[in-house]
Amino acid sequence: MPGVTRRTLLAFTAVASVVEPTFAEGEYTSRELQVLIATHETAYAALHTIAHRAGSSLYDRRRADRIEEEALLAVCSYPAISRGDRRAKAEYLLSAQARGELDLEEQIQAILHSMMPN
């Protein structure tokens, strides 16, 4: 049986790049990550509404802020394993960062810890 040559490896790489990535790399986004992102989007919208509502109390604003921070921290902490999860998590966190939300030390630590194997 002949050994693997550079030509064989190159051919395999070319074929692998054409094959549907869903099978090889897991292009899907997990349901769990979708729920975490949707939860944060809801919490962020609620925070925005409460913060701009006339007559909202400081308690209400702080509570909404804490809920939103916890929801974003859950997204940061999620251990994205599949290619689709990594992409969805990165895109979502980049959009949060662009709005100036991703600024707490705990969030950055959670992102870094989520990248480490258990």
Side-chain angles (χ1 to χ4, degrees):
M1 179 174 214
V4 177
T5 65
R6 283 188 289 182
R7 182 173 290 171
T8 304
L9 188 56
L10 182 60
F12 176 76
T13 304
V15 169
S17 68
V18 175
V19 173
E20 180 65 35
T22 302
F23 299 118
E25 295 281 341
E27 280 291 327
Y28 67 93
T29 302
S30 69
R31 181 75 182 125
E32 186 177 358
L33 181 57
Q34 291 173 12
V35 168
L36 291 173
I37 289 172
T39 300
H40 178 256
E41 289 174 336
T42 301
Y44 183 75
L47 171 62
H48 192 291
T49 299
I50 290 169
H52 293 94
R53 184 177 60 205
S56 65
S57 70
L58 179 60
Y59 172 79
D60 289 340
R61 289 190 301 272
R62 284 185 177 164
R63 183 171 182 267
D65 185 54
R66 183 178 41 78
I67 291 169
E68 184 273 334
E69 283 180 8
E70 289 174 1
L72 183 56
L73 190 58
V75 175
C76 292
S77 300
Y78 183 77
I81 296 171
S82 74
R83 185 178 192 179
D85 275 353
R86 288 190 305 268
R87 181 180 310 230
K89 179 178 174 177
E91 288 174 354
Y92 189 74
L93 292 178
L94 284 169
S95 69
Q97 191 275 331
R99 292 189 304 260
E101 290 181 59
L102 204 57
D103 58 353
L104 298 179
E105 184 177 331
E106 308 125 77
Q107 294 165 336
I108 304 305
Q109 288 177 0
I111 293 168
L112 294 173
H113 283 288
S114 74
M115 294 168 31
M116 295 173 53
N118 292 332

